[in-house]
């Protein structure tokens, strides 16, 4: 399941992540440290370039005084932990019903075309990994994709390629809707509170 | 008590039990896969669905539903039948149709229940799921495609065995049961998951493709590979013991057995002594019984009894020890001993050498002190009981001896006699815990008493028992944990040195100095046989181990599966073993050999059938009158006053898998030993 040759022999939190980990552990009462397993796995994944090697899970188990298998269970259950190496930009295209209705298939195709890889693959320069994801909770701005921690919404084939190109060039495109609307405002302009009158309290 | 109606029959059941348990009390069978009475409730297989009113109008999982007053339960309504058929159809979607090549066939819960709830054909024409097999070590074979995710094995490993190594990784269709990182299970009870697995996902590796259950002859008997006396079922075909399974006994092993008990049985086929041997011109040659007896008669005739000695080994049955006792008395020898390891036990006070609290009694205790013992490898099932008690909470365990992983947390008090003396004087902090406890207990292992100052250790422990309130009305918290199945029985018969008799150390010294000229070894292999070079050695036993190698005459005996015999476990519980197969070749039941030998030596024993020996045993010690049950033993003085000051206590068992002639001959146990050694090496990182 895991790429054996890429598994590091050891893993330890560096200073920054270690301090953060201790802060999280301290939130839980004595004897209940195991509750910190999910945030710690997230920290470990961040430190290790977006994926969790077995050594990192063992390190977390060690820190929390848990049997290692209990950590493996958690890490393998949640899809947001990657147990295999991923590229610098982890692209997750939502393909659940609302996004599907709004044309996520074209977004996925645009990604395939732009990156030259299929779902589940990583580009040879290790810059991108493409994944399908289940509902990421941004249905109102469907279709959308998540890259790293950022949501790119209101996509079409063109804007998808623009975002990916920018990332390839080392830029950070503005997250959020790639259309001209702001946040989750109505797509065709404001439909209410549009007469300029001040609202209550205003 | 709650009153409820199950299938139109009214029944009153205790509060707090589940509907499934209530159905069982009512005599109604409810199918299930994940539910197991000794494990926590998982409620994930959904096979035990029943219709319950009042409640939502849908089937409910009876294993996870507590009974309520006035409930009406239906287990045979059309809704229930339809629901269970639906569950079965889903289970079979991903279960391979490979019963003809599956070792579980014939004793498979899924197979049986599919007969009742399965459809004749499948509506599923997609691809079935396939799962990579896991390597769980030399004992458990996996075929994980067959797994139905009941999680019994995970719960057993986590709860009963206390090794959290199995888990469910992934989710949904990709969920897999396993260890994630490939490794052998490190439990002494690991193979019980084979019995727990309701399908053929976990089967027995050594028994793979050996036999079908309906080909086997089943014999319920007792185990002798440790001193627990686990109740077992020996499955044999023809003259071969093919497998050993546990038999339910709430007082002893519940429904588990250790891996050694289960898998050492292939040792019964190797290195067997199947014909008498006599040493001629320095080499052992096969001989007839008459020739062997004649050789013994030549040596023993007209010899003074004080020059003859006998040592009984760890696997001996009571009948043969009784016969040997009488024979040695006939020959006028006081030099008899059953304590090969030199344990300083006093055979005159029974409560000083048995496990007085009883194994089931551990569950009533609230504090436990372990002295010189590692119950995990010396008596795995007793350790499982201690863990079971610990899981309930309010139980502290203190350890004097080696600090090892016992599968439950414990206070490590110290390594040896010094800590023991502090405890005996009452100056140690753990004394307070013992004194405060309502039912405190202490378990002394052979590691603390099989040593020169053993008697002093015993008296120190007696002092702890008496001063910390371990002995009270209806409770005796003093326990000796034996490692040899034959030991308590031999002590009960009194196979210890008579007046002016020598113990094992004395016999070996005498054999070297020439004071002892003839030594009879009854299954005794755990002594330094090099010291017997000068003497005439008669070895009676079933395996060609060190005892047989040094012998001048070998009398082939029967192993525990090959004789009707009596064994007494560490609790002092007298149990009968039954013959499952006949001994190989010329080998005979042990007591009959001694009886026949006594005839040749003109010291004929006064009994000539099994009932006769057993009457003689009951005369010798009344404990042999009660089979299977226990009678409390009176508390008395024992031990030797003084201060123990030897080295630290170490467990007599260093390798759980090989402790006696049978397990040493077993290939499976050798494989386990190798796997364990590799695991230890990996852990300590000595493999680079």
């Amino acid at each position: 399941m895991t790429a054996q040759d890429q598994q590091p022999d050891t893993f330890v939190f560096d200073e920054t992540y270690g301090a953060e980990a201790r802060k999280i552990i301290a939130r839980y009462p004595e004897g209940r440290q195991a509750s910190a397993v999910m945030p710690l796995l997230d920290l470990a994944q961040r430190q290790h370039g977006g994926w969790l090697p077995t050594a990192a899970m063992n390190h977390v188990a060690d820190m929390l005084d848990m049997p290692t298998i209990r950590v493996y269970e958690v890490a393998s259950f949640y899809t947001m932990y990657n147990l295999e190496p991923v590229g610098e930009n982890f692209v997750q295209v939502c393909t659940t019903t609302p996004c599907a209705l709004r044309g996520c298939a074209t977004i996925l195709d645009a990604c395939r075309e732009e990156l030259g890889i299929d779902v589940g693959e990583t580009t040879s320069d290790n810059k991108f990994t493409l994944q399908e994801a289940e509902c990421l909770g941004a249905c109102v701005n469907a279709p959308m994709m998540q890259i790293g921690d950022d949501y790119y919404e209101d996509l079409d084939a063109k804007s998808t390629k623009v975002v990916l190109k920018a990332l390839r060039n080392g830029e950070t495109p503005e997250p959020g809707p790639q259309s001209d609307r702001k946040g989750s405002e109505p797509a065709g302009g404001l439909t209410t509170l549009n007469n300029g009158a001040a609202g209550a309290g205003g | 008590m709650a009153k409820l109606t199950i299938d139109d029959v009214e029944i009153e059941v205790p509060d707090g039990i589940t509907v499934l348990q209530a159905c069982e009390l009512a005599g109604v069978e409810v199918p299930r896969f994940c539910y197991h009475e000794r494990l926590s409730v998982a409620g994930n297989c959904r096979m035990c669905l029943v219709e319950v009113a009042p409640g939502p109008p849908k089937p409910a999982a009876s294993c996870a539903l507590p009974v309520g007053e006035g409930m009406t339960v239906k287990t045979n309504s059309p809704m229930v039948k339809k629901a269970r058929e639906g569950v079965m159809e889903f289970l079979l979607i991903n279960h391979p149709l490979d019963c003809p090549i599956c070792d579980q066939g014939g004793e498979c819960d899924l197979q049986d229940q599919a007969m009742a709830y399965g459809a004749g054909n499948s509506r599923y024409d997609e691809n079935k799921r396939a799962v990579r097999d896991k390597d769980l070590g030399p004992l458990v074979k996996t075929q994980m495609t067959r797994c139905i995710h009941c999680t019994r094995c995970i719960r057993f490993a986590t709860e009963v065995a206390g090794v959290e190594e199995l888990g469910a990784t992934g989710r949904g269709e990709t969920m897999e049961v396993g260890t994630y990182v490939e490794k052998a299970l490190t439990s002494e009870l690991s193979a019980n998951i084979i019995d727990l697995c309701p399908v053929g996902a976990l089967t027995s590796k050594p028994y793979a493709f050996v036999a079908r259950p309906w080909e086997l002859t089943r014999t319920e008997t007792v185990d002798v590979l440790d001193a627990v006396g686990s109740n077992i079922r020996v499955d044999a075909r023809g003259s071969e013991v093919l497998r050993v399974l546990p038999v339910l006994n709430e007082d002893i092993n519940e429904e588990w057995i250790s891996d050694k008990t289960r898998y050492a049985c292939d040792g019964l086929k190797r290195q067997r002594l199947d014909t008498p041997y006599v040493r001629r011109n320095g080499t052992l040659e096969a001989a007839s019984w008459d020739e062997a007896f004649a050789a013994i008669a030549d040596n023993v005739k007209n010899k003074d009894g004080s020059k003859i000695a006998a040592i009984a080994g760890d696997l001996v049955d009571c009948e043969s020890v009784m016969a040997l006792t009488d024979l040695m008395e006939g020959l006028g020898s006081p030099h008899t001993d059953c304590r090969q390891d030199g344990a300083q036990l006093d055979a005159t006070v029974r409560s000083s050498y048995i496990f007085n609290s009883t194994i089931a009694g551990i569950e009533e205790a609230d504090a436990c002190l372990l002295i010189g013992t590692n119950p995990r490898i010396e008596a795995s099932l007793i350790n499982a009981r201690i863990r079971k008690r610990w899981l309930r909470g309010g139980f502290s365990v203190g350890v004097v001896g080696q600090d090892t992983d016992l599968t439950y947390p414990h206070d490590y008090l110290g390594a040896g006699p010094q800590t023991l003396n502090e405890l005996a004087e009452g100056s140690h902090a753990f004394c307070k815990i013992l004194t405060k406890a309502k039912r405190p207990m202490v378990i002394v292992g052979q590691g603390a008493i099989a040593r020169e100052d053993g008697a002093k250790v015993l008296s120190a422990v007696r002092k702890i028992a008496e001063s910390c309130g371990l002995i009270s009305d209806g409770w005796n918290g003093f326990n000796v944990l034996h490692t040899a199945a034959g030991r308590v029985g031999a002590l009960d018969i009194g196979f210890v040195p008579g007046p002016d008799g020598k113990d094992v150390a004395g016999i070996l010294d005498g054999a070297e100095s020439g004071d002892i000229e003839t030594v009879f070894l009854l299954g005794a292999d755990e002594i330094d046989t090099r010291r017997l070079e000068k003497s005439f050695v008669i070895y009676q036993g079933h395996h060609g181990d060190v005892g047989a190698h040094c012998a001048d005459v070998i009398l082939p005996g029967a192993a525990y599966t090959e004789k009707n015999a009596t064994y007494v476990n560490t609790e002092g519980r007298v149990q009968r073993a039954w013959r499952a197969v006949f001994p190989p070749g010329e080998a005979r039941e042990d007591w009959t050999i001694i009886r026949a030998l006594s005839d040749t030596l003109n010291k004929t024993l006064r009994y000539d059938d099994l009932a006769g020996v057993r009457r003689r045993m009951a005369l010798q010690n009344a404990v042999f009158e009660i089979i299977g049950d226990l009678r409390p033993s009176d508390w008395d003085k024992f031990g030797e006053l003084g201060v123990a000051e030897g080295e630290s206590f170490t467990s007599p068992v260093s390798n759980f898998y090989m402790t006696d002639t049978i397990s040493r001959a077993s290939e499976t146990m050798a494989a386990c030993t190798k796997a364990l050694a590799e695991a230890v090496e990996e852990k300590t990182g000595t493999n680079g």
Side-chain angles (χ1 to χ4, degrees):
Chain A
M1 206 169 134
T2 48
Q4 275 309 324
D5 47 339
Q6 304 196 52
Q7 290 281 349
D9 288 336
T10 53
F11 174 95
V12 276
F13 277 124
D14 62 21
E15 216 167 291
T16 328
Y17 283 108
E20 188 63 27
R22 279 188 296 277
K23 218 191 287 172
I24 293 167
I25 295 171
R27 287 180 198 156
Y28 301 98
E30 184 64 34
R32 295 274 186 273
Q33 282 77 13
S35 302
V37 65
M38 292 182 63
L40 255 64
L41 285 174
D42 179 55
L43 289 179
Q45 175 161 305
R46 284 166 191 280
Q47 181 183 323
H48 199 73
W51 72 286
L52 269 178
T54 309
M57 295 191 268
N58 293 345
H59 180 57
V60 169
D62 225 33
M63 279 181 86
L64 301 178
D65 204 13
M66 287 170 81
T68 51
I69 182 70
R70 298 282 98 93
V71 178
Y72 304 150
E73 284 181 325
V74 171
S76 63
F77 182 88
Y78 293 99
T79 53
M80 288 162 89
Y81 299 118
N82 297 314
L83 302 180
E84 286 170 50
V86 295
E88 271 165 53
N89 297 291
F90 187 53
V91 181
Q92 299 180 78
V93 179
C94 174
T95 54
T96 307
T97 320
C99 281
L101 291 171
R102 298 283 296 151
C104 71
T106 53
I107 309 301
L108 210 50
D109 282 342
C111 290
R112 287 195 183 103
E113 226 167 86
E114 180 62 33
L115 303 175
I117 51 171
D118 207 344
V119 172
E121 293 176 353
T122 303
T123 53
S124 53
D125 59 1
N126 205 34
K127 283 223 155 161
F128 292 93
T129 296
L130 181 60
Q131 275 296 352
E132 272 184 63
E134 296 306 321
C135 185
L136 291 167
C139 313
V140 73
N141 289 73
M144 60 79 68
M145 64 182 174
Q146 181 183 1
I147 302 179
D149 286 338
D150 295 326
Y151 276 19
Y152 294 92
E153 302 157 328
D154 289 345
L155 296 169
D156 54 25
K158 200 176 143 212
S159 57
T160 304
K161 288 186 180 177
V162 169
V163 168
L164 294 175
K165 273 199 184 94
L167 283 165
R168 178 175 294 136
N169 296 334
E171 300 157 24
T172 311
E174 183 70 22
Q178 302 299 306
S179 60
D180 49 8
R181 69 164 154 170
K182 189 177 166 220
S184 312
E185 280 175 351
L190 297 182
T191 58
T192 183
L193 297 177
N194 53 359
N195 57 2
Chain B
M1 298 294 271
K3 207 178 259 179
L4 66 165
T5 315
I6 298 173
D7 291 346
D8 302 325
V9 181
E10 210 163 86
I11 180 173
E12 227 176 308
V13 299
D15 285 322
I17 69 168
T18 62
V19 172
L20 190 146
Q21 287 168 319
C23 288
E24 266 177 4
L25 289 178
V28 178
E29 201 180 329
V30 179
R32 86 289 303 261
F33 294 111
C34 73
Y35 175 80
H36 192 276
E37 50 265 52
R38 279 169 224 282
L39 303 174
S40 61
V41 172
N44 55 9
C45 78
R46 313 312 285 180
M47 196 61 202
C48 65
L49 294 172
V50 294
E51 194 178 337
V52 178
K58 60 170 190 171
S62 60
C63 71
L65 184 70
V67 291
E69 183 65 40
M71 254 182 188
T72 312
V73 180
K74 283 188 194 148
T75 70
N76 51 9
S77 67
M79 186 224 259
V80 170
K81 189 164 187 310
K82 193 175 168 209
R84 290 182 186 165
E85 283 173 356
V87 169
M88 179 57 77
E89 191 171 5
F90 273 117
L91 285 174
L92 292 180
I93 275 181
N94 274 323
H95 191 84
L97 192 60
D98 63 353
C99 304
I101 54 154
C102 175
D103 254 331
Q104 192 85 351
E107 46 189 7
C108 174
D109 288 357
L110 188 63
Q111 203 177 32
D112 293 349
Q113 289 175 38
M115 294 302 287
Y117 298 100
N121 60 327
S122 173
R123 294 189 285 172
Y124 184 75
D125 53 11
E126 317 288 325
N127 284 332
K128 286 193 179 221
R129 179 183 109 106
V131 182
R132 199 178 294 271
D133 290 340
K134 313 283 185 286
D135 185 2
L136 297 181
L139 301 179
V140 182
K141 185 185 170 203
T142 63
Q143 178 67 261
M144 296 316 282
T145 303
R146 296 181 187 139
C147 177
I148 59 166
H149 300 165
C150 71
T151 70
R152 276 186 187 179
C153 54
I154 301 176
R155 283 174 284 147
F156 175 84
T158 308
E159 293 161 18
V160 180
V163 290
E164 290 201 54
E165 293 172 355
L166 277 175
T169 54
R171 63 152 113 172
E173 209 199 20
T174 57
M175 173 176 156
E176 291 185 18
V177 172
T179 51
Y180 188 73
V181 176
E182 199 126 286
K183 62 183 258 181
L185 298 176
T186 60
S187 169
E188 293 72 29
L189 301 171
S190 66
N192 287 300
I193 62 177
I194 296 167
D195 294 340
L196 285 171
C197 184
V199 296
L202 306 175
T203 53
S204 170
K205 212 174 247 182
Y207 177 71
F209 309 128
V210 168
R212 284 300 190 189
W214 54 84
E215 299 173 291
L216 304 169
T217 329
R218 294 143 186 230
T219 312
E220 292 197 2
T221 177
V222 296
D223 172 56
V224 301
L225 299 176
D226 56 28
V228 176
S230 299
N231 287 202
I232 53 170
R233 192 183 94 192
V234 173
D235 283 2
R237 187 175 55 188
S239 62
E240 224 180 326
V241 172
L242 295 182
R243 65 172 180 180
V244 170
L245 295 176
V247 167
L248 179 75
N249 189 328
E250 295 288 356
D251 292 330
I252 304 172
N253 54 315
E254 299 183 275
E255 60 186 87
W256 322 121
I257 50 174
S258 75
D259 290 350
K260 182 167 55 179
T261 299
R262 188 185 299 262
Y263 283 123
C265 63
D266 64 340
L268 293 168
K269 286 179 277 196
R270 300 179 71 239
Q271 305 222 299
R272 287 304 299 269
L273 300 171
D274 56 0
T275 183
Y277 285 86
V278 175
R279 194 177 288 277
R280 295 188 184 109
N281 305 323
T283 48
L284 281 166
E285 286 172 18
S288 70
W289 278 106
D290 286 340
E291 287 166 345
F293 284 167
I296 297 172
D298 272 353
N299 180 274
V300 172
K301 210 181 283 170
N302 304 324
K303 190 173 275 179
D304 189 68
S306 66
K307 294 191 177 303
I308 308 172
I311 301 174
D314 288 351
L315 304 180
V316 294
D317 57 295
C318 298
E319 282 82 357
S320 55
V321 174
M322 188 70 250
L324 188 58
T325 307
D326 288 342
L327 177 64
M328 293 305 283
E329 201 184 310
L331 293 169
S333 163
H335 311 307
T336 55
D337 202 354
C338 62
R339 300 161 301 183
Q340 282 190 96
D341 52 5
Q344 308 280 310
L345 290 164
D346 182 351
T348 56
V349 184
R350 192 165 198 252
S351 58
S352 78
Y353 62 83
I354 63 171
F355 202 94
N356 292 291
S357 306
T358 76
I359 297 172
I362 293 172
E363 293 187 37
E364 292 166 38
D366 43 10
C368 181
L369 175 61
L370 301 173
I371 299 172
T373 179
N374 177 357
R376 184 169 173 185
I377 54 174
E378 289 170 31
S380 311
L381 289 156
I382 289 182
N383 199 55
R385 275 295 175 136
I386 301 175
R387 179 176 160 80
K388 186 180 178 192
R389 173 64 193 86
W390 170 78
L391 278 175
R392 249 178 40 225
F395 185 63
S396 22
V397 182
V399 171
V400 181
Q402 286 164 298
D403 192 13
T404 55
D405 178 11
L406 294 170
T407 71
Y408 41 85
H410 53 264
D411 298 328
Y412 183 63
L413 310 180
Q418 200 190 339
T419 316
L420 181 70
N421 292 333
E422 282 170 27
L423 283 158
E425 285 159 15
S427 59
H428 197 286
F430 200 79
C431 293
K432 275 196 201 117
I433 295 176
L434 287 175
T435 316
K436 231 188 251 168
K438 280 203 188 87
R439 301 206 145 174
M441 63 188 289
V442 56
I443 301 176
V444 196
Q446 302 303 303
I449 43 185
R451 43 194 267 152
E452 254 169 48
D453 59 355
K456 289 176 186 158
V457 169
L458 265 186
S459 107
V461 179
R462 181 166 64 89
K463 213 168 148 194
I464 296 173
E466 285 168 359
S467 61
C468 294
L470 273 68
I471 319 292
S472 58
D473 261 354
W475 177 254
N476 186 336
F478 177 86
N479 302 293
V480 175
L481 181 59
H482 288 271
T483 52
R487 184 69 57 84
V488 175
L491 288 170
D492 281 342
I493 287 171
F495 200 77
V496 287
D500 297 325
K502 296 181 195 295
D503 61 6
V504 168
I507 292 169
L508 292 177
D509 286 344
E512 270 182 328
S513 68
D515 291 347
I516 301 283
E517 292 173 2
T518 304
V519 181
F520 192 113
L521 299 179
L522 181 62
D525 292 271
E526 285 78 21
I527 48 172
D528 186 0
T529 51
R530 282 168 305 184
R531 303 181 64 189
L532 297 174
E533 264 168 14
K534 279 190 200 160
S535 40
F536 182 81
V537 178
I538 304 156
Y539 180 82
Q540 178 179 335
H542 39 77
H543 273 77
D545 209 308
V546 291
H549 285 284
C550 76
D552 294 285
V553 176
I554 294 176
L555 307 173
Y560 69 112
T561 51
E562 295 153 7
K563 55 189 171 192
N564 294 324
T566 306
Y567 291 95
V568 187
N569 79 350
T570 191
E571 300 171 287
R573 191 186 300 274
V574 182
Q575 300 192 97
R576 294 266 199 255
W578 297 92
R579 183 176 59 221
V581 293
F582 285 97
E586 289 295 307
R588 293 290 179 269
E589 287 198 21
D590 289 89
W591 80 269
T592 61
I593 298 172
I594 299 167
R595 167 69 179 72
L597 177 63
S598 73
D599 222 19
T600 316
L601 300 178
N602 290 325
K603 305 284 178 195
T604 311
L605 302 180
R606 289 181 309 255
Y607 32 83
D608 41 31
D609 59 10
L610 195 57
V613 201
R614 288 181 174 167
R615 272 198 300 277
R616 171 77 184 89
M617 279 155 53
L619 270 180
Q620 180 83 352
N621 192 332
V623 297
F624 291 107
E625 285 167 12
I626 304 169
I627 307 299
D629 259 331
L630 286 173
R631 203 157 43 179
S633 304
D634 292 335
W635 188 247
D636 207 338
K637 284 200 167 17
F638 57 83
E640 181 191 320
L641 287 179
V643 180
E645 29 192 30
E647 287 172 14
S648 309
F649 302 134
T650 50
S651 172
V653 180
S654 54
N655 174 7
F656 163 74
Y657 297 106
M658 288 191 173
T659 49
D660 50 77
T661 53
I662 299 172
S663 52
R664 279 195 292 267
S666 157
E667 284 177 321
T668 312
M669 291 296 103
C672 288
T673 306
K674 194 163 158 256
L676 181 74
E678 278 166 14
V680 169
E681 208 167 88
E682 219 158 86
K683 219 175 181 179
T684 51
T686 48
N687 59 346

